[in-house]
Amino acid sequence: MNFQSIASVESEKALLDLAFRKAREKGIEKNLKGNWLEIIRKKESLKIDIVKDTLVSRLEKIHGSFTHPKKLPEFYIKLMKLTVDFDEYKKSLASLGWAADKVRFFQGEYVRRIFKTTDRGKISELSRQFYGRIASVIKQIKGNLAFLEEARKIFRTYPDIKEMFTVCLYGFPNVGKSTLLNRLTGTKAETAAYAFTTKTINAGYLKVGDKKVQILDVPGTLARGERMNIIERQADLVMKELANMVVFVFDLSGYSGYSVKKQEQLYNNLGREKNVFVCVTKLDLTPPEILEEFKHKYYSVDELKEKIKEEFLKREADQPEVLS
Ligand SMILES: Nc1nc2c(ncn2[C@@H]2O[C@H](COP(=O)(O)OP(=O)(O)OP(=O)(O)O)[C@@H](O)[C@H]2O)c(=O)[nH]1
Ligand SMILES: [Mg+2]
């Protein structure tokens, strides 16, 4: 799923400016034939058509560049529900269709009325009315356009998650999850010495023969149940909904700011319905006596790599052969 190519959403003012400017520039048709009445009618209706075409095509383009919720995989719907007001999103998308229909309707209506009147002043009056009506329609979706532009910026941070064997790197903030992702997959996810560096999901891929395993680095979590913010909730979503294997990233060094005890509690609360493996980070910063105490309980990065491959191959072997 690619969320990078969604077109930017103009403000209502920019849309109207564009449509009216195009009508002014292109609506000057020189070779209109007929008597003065016919020429005025054609001129005004040409401008009205240009306004309609410009607005409808822009609105349709914006609508088309957002994937319709019905076509989205379940995981992305859940991610959207966490990160944007999903009902508002659906309403805003629908408002584009509503506005396009209204613009089409007024164009038909006013062109018809222009061609019915024989009064020059009335033709100008009808044109003005049309522009007023259109401006009012587009202004009514001002909030929806602004909402979609904000949603677009959030969607752009979504990773391109594929349906395949998936490992989730899970743990407290600042313990070294993104650093681990980079080491396992060669990705260049941002890392920094403070909590909540990762605000959305990073994806990397580990090669296993001619196949690949997807590794997702998620924001650090404080696992505070209902009090979790939307950044943390993404971690739970990936861990619970997507991961075939969870790697609990454990920092024994104390540099993350979270005690060993706290991290053990989080680990113990994970439940055993998931396949959870522990990987210890910052070995170079950890006192040897602590490493000694925990040495039978965790995997190093290299051991983890092998473990991931092993789990993936085990799972492949369990899958029934697909007959073609
Ligand atoms: N010395 C040392 N530093 C490490 C190691 N692993 C991670 N770090 C450092 O620890 C800090 C946190 O690492 P990140 O990978 O950003 O941690 P994170 O768990 O992704 O953090 P959030 O995204 O905030 O949840 C960074 O400054 C890293 O450079 C390691 O093995 N050794
Ligand atoms: Mg991170």
Side-chain angles (χ1 to χ4, degrees), residues 108 142 303:
K142 174 180 175 178
E303 286 165 344

Side-chain angles (χ1 to χ4, degrees), residues 4-5 7 35 47 93 99 105 145 156 209-210 224 233 288:
Q4 309 304 310
S5 57
N35 60 35
K47 284 196 228 161
L93 274 185
F105 169 77
L145 293 166
R156 279 177 70 87
D210 59 352
R224 300 170 297 180
R233 282 172 201 268

Side-chain angles (χ1 to χ4, degrees), residues 26 28 59 79 109 112 118 127 132 175 198 296 309:
K26 295 192 180 169
I28 319 163
L59 292 168
L79 187 57
E109 179 73 8
R112 190 178 56 78
T118 51
S127 285
V175 292
T198 305
H296 298 299
K309 290 180 183 174

